[in-house]
Amino acid sequence: MVSRTDYLLNEVKHFAPYSQFDQSAPREDRVSEQIDIIMKEQQAMGYDRAAIASKSFDIEDQANRRVDEHTAQQDLVEELKIELEAAERSGEPVDLNDMQALVSQHMNDAQEYDLYHPYYSSLADLSGDKGFQDSDDYQSPGDRYVQYMQSALGQAGFENYEQQTKDIVNSIENMEALAREVEDPHLRAAMDVQIGELKGDVAELRPYDTDLQAYTVADDSYTTSMNAAELDNLDPSEAEKWLAVRDDIVATANSFGLDGNKFLARYNNHDSVSVGTTATWRDADISTAAAHFNSQGVPDSYERAEAVVGELHQVSSSKIAAVVQEIAHTREQATHVHEYDGHSL
C-alpha cells in the first residue's frame, strides 16, 4: 500500500504547474511556449492583437518569470524527494521544520500562480504547514482527489469510477440493514466491526466522501486483551470482579432502555474498531435512550440521553479495561510464583 507521504509527494508532482511542460527543453523554447500561452490568455480576456502587441515586453517578462517558477517548483520537489528518501533509509523521522521552511519560502516567492491552487495545498499537507491549512487558499484532500481523478481518468471516466464506488457503498449499507436484524449480540457486534472495516477500505477509494473518513481511524476503547468467551468462563477466583463489573454495566444500560447484553458484546478482543463504527453505536444508543426517557416523561430527553450514554460508554471502557488488566496481572504473578517454585525444587 502506498504510504500517505508517498501519495502526497505524487500529488504534489501531479499538480505542480511545471509538470505540464517539458522541463528538458531549452530555456528559450520554454519561454516561447509560455509567451504563446500568455497571448492566448490575453485574447481570452478580450484584448485585441494590437493591445497584446503593445505589451510584448511585459508578456516576455511574465513568460520568463513562469519558466523561473517552473524551475523552482521542480527543484523543490526534487529536494523534498531526496529528504524523504534519506529519512526512509535512516529510519529517522523527517525534519518537518526544515521542510516547512522550504515550502514557506517557495510560497512566498510565488508570483505567477495563485496560492489557491491544489499544488500549494498538497505541499502544505506534505510539510504539515498548519498555517496554510487554516487559510482560505487551502483546498481539502477530498477536493484535490476529485481534481486528481478527473485529470487522470477524464470526466467520463471519473463519473464511472464515482458510480462504481457508490454502488459498493450501497451494497455495504444493505449489509448493515441485515446486521440490524441479527439477534445474537456477539455476532451482531462482530458484523458491525467487519462492516466498518469494509467502509474503511472504500474510504480510501473515496477520500472526498466525508461520511466514510471516520472509518479509517481506529478507536481502541472497545478492544480488550481477552475475548468475550474467556471472560465468561473465568475461574471462580478470577470471575468475581469481572461479574460485578459486567452485571453493573448491563444493569445500567438496561436502565436507560438499552439492551445491556448487546451493549456489553461490543467489548471484545477486536483486531481493530473504527471511530465510524463506535460513533454509530453511540448514536444508536442515544436514539434508543432518548425514546425511553421520552416515554417516561423525562424533560429534555435527547440531551439527557446524550449525557448518560456518553458517560456509559466512557465508564464501561475504563472499568472493563481495568478488570481485564487486573486479571492479566494476577495470572502473570501466578506464573512467576510457579516458575520460582519449580526452580526451588
Side-chain angles (χ1 to χ4, degrees):
M1 182 179 292
V2 177
S3 70
R4 180 175 183 273
T5 300
D6 288 340
Y7 173 80
L8 285 171
L9 184 61
N10 288 334
E11 193 181 74
V12 167
K13 289 190 283 188
H14 175 82
F15 285 127
Y18 82 82
S19 65
Q20 302 173 38
F21 309 102
D22 181 7
Q23 297 304 299
S24 65
R27 179 181 176 87
E28 57 267 24
D29 291 348
R30 288 185 283 140
V31 171
S32 178
E33 183 179 21
Q34 292 303 315
I35 288 174
D36 290 341
I37 291 172
I38 294 169
M39 289 176 66
K40 290 177 181 176
E41 292 171 353
Q42 297 283 318
Q43 288 174 352
M45 290 189 295
Y47 291 99
D48 59 26
R49 290 185 178 181
I52 294 172
S54 69
K55 299 195 297 182
S56 60
F57 290 110
D58 291 337
I59 290 174
E60 185 174 352
D61 285 344
Q62 185 180 4
N64 274 286
R65 287 197 301 274
R66 285 193 183 181
V67 168
D68 289 340
E69 285 198 27
H70 291 165
T71 301
Q73 291 163 6
Q74 185 178 30
D75 290 345
L76 175 67
V77 169
E78 286 303 312
E79 191 165 357
L80 294 177
K81 181 181 177 182
I82 290 170
E83 285 203 20
L84 292 169
E85 288 177 346
E88 184 176 1
R89 283 195 303 271
S90 67
E92 298 292 327
V94 177
D95 186 343
L96 285 181
N97 290 329
D98 186 32
M99 190 178 288
Q100 287 171 12
L102 287 171
V103 170
S104 179
Q105 186 60 52
H106 181 68
M107 291 182 179
N108 290 336
D109 292 342
Q111 297 180 31
E112 285 303 310
Y113 294 95
D114 193 327
L115 290 179
Y116 184 73
H117 189 291
Y119 165 67
Y120 295 109
S121 295
S122 298
L123 280 175
D125 282 357
L126 183 63
S127 63
D129 187 336
K130 301 290 187 185
F132 191 86
Q133 289 169 336
D134 292 335
S135 73
D136 291 337
D137 289 321
Y138 180 70
Q139 296 187 39
S140 71
D143 290 341
R144 298 199 310 268
Y145 186 82
V146 171
Q147 296 177 61
Y148 185 102
M149 295 300 286
Q150 285 175 333
S151 63
L153 301 177
Q155 185 61 34
F158 176 74
E159 289 175 0
N160 183 47
Y161 175 88
E162 157 69 14
Q163 186 57 55
Q164 289 188 18
T165 54
K166 181 61 178 174
D167 289 344
I168 297 173
V169 174
N170 291 338
S171 296
I172 295 173
E173 290 174 350
N174 290 336
M175 292 171 61
E176 280 186 296
L178 292 174
R180 286 193 288 270
E181 303 299 321
V182 174
E183 294 185 2
D184 181 277
H186 292 290
L187 178 58
R188 168 64 191 276
M191 290 179 70
D192 287 344
V193 172
Q194 290 169 356
I195 287 170
E197 290 175 356
L198 290 174
K199 286 189 173 184
D201 291 339
V202 180
E204 295 186 9
L205 302 174
R206 295 173 60 87
Y208 50 89
D209 191 334
T210 55
D211 292 339
L212 294 176
Q213 298 316 303
Y215 292 93
T216 65
V217 182
D219 182 350
D220 296 331
S221 303
Y222 301 80
T223 300
T224 66
S225 59
M226 299 177 68
N227 63 39
E230 286 181 282
L231 290 171
D232 287 338
N233 292 281
L234 294 170
D235 292 335
S237 60
E238 299 173 328
E240 184 177 354
K241 289 184 178 180
W242 161 244
L243 292 176
V245 168
R246 183 196 69 181
D247 293 346
D248 178 56
I249 292 172
V250 170
T252 303
N254 287 339
S255 72
F256 299 152
L258 307 178
D259 183 329
N261 290 321
K262 177 181 170 183
F263 176 84
L264 187 69
R266 296 167 180 163
Y267 295 88
N268 211 327
N269 63 337
H270 310 289
D271 289 335
S272 177
V273 185
S274 70
V275 168
T277 298
T278 58
T280 300
W281 285 340
R282 279 192 294 275
D283 289 345
D285 290 349
I286 289 169
S287 296
T288 301
H292 173 71
F293 292 146
N294 187 56
S295 70
Q296 294 186 327
V298 176
D300 300 322
S301 57
Y302 190 83
E303 288 75 11
R304 170 69 175 157
E306 282 186 308
V308 300
V309 167
E311 183 178 10
L312 174 64
H313 279 252
Q314 182 177 4
V315 170
S316 298
S317 296
S318 299
K319 285 184 175 180
I320 291 173
V323 73
V324 168
Q325 184 176 9
E326 185 175 346
I327 292 169
H329 180 65
T330 301
R331 288 181 176 181
E332 184 179 358
Q333 285 185 318
T335 301
H336 288 323
V337 168
H338 289 314
E339 288 176 353
Y340 178 76
D341 289 345
H343 286 301
S344 66
L345 292 174

